[in-house]
Amino acid sequence: HEYRDTILIPNTVTYRNKVYRITEIGDYAFRGCSEMTSIAVPESVWHIGLGAFSGCEALKEIHISNLSAWCEMSFCDVADDAGDSPLNYVDGLYLNGELITDLIVPEDVEELGAHAFEGYDKLRSVVFQKDIVAIYKSAFLNCTNLTDVTFAGDVEYIGPYTFDGTP
């Protein structure tokens, strides 16, 4: 399918009178959708597959309504040091319409998922408001404008490549 302009993924869909919760964007789901400009990812999505947005040259924005859900999301991990964050493909991540540049990790987030903000060059600072159990692999890999990270408490685990490619 060729998706264009703005795509709004719902939390649920109904098929044959049965309601299904949308929990995943599959591998290569939107690959090659060269006219798709933005996408809204619902908080029900917990996994984004390999290459889900590859070849989406016009994709500029990802919109979310729940930052905790994004932080804890699972992104395809294809090898020991390679992931596939959709932020590698876009110009901006928006929370309720506001561009995220200075990230305040919500207090309910205990683990920051691997590749969660990988490649997101709009990110300038990150504040962790409390103890955090883990920041997994490549969470901030190649965030080329990230210059300030503040920890308000302990961090039990920081994965490999977490801050590689950041100033």
Side-chain angles (χ1 to χ4, degrees), residues 82-105:
D84 196 35
S85 171
L87 297 178
N88 283 313
Y89 302 102
V90 301
D91 289 336
L93 177 65
Y94 293 81
L95 174 63
N96 298 319
E98 296 291 323
L99 179 67
I100 296 174
T101 57
D102 299 298
L103 173 65
I104 299 173
V105 178

Side-chain angles (χ1 to χ4, degrees), residues 108-147:
D108 64 336
V109 172
E110 294 184 358
E111 299 180 342
L112 190 65
H115 313 286
F117 294 93
E118 176 186 329
Y120 186 47
D121 63 3
K122 296 288 189 277
L123 193 59
R124 298 181 307 213
S125 68
V126 177
V127 174
F128 291 91
Q129 302 179 79
K130 65 173 196 87
D131 293 351
I132 189 156
V133 174
I135 302 171
Y136 289 107
K137 175 176 60 178
S138 304
F140 298 104
L141 176 72
N142 294 327
C143 290
T144 57
N145 291 304
L146 178 58
T147 57

Side-chain angles (χ1 to χ4, degrees), residues 6-25:
T6 299
I7 304 301
L8 303 174
I9 299 174
N11 279 305
T12 62
V13 294
T14 303
Y15 179 72
R16 294 187 180 187
N17 295 324
K18 185 170 180 177
V19 176
Y20 295 90
R21 187 170 168 84
I22 305 297
T23 59
E24 183 174 334
I25 297 174

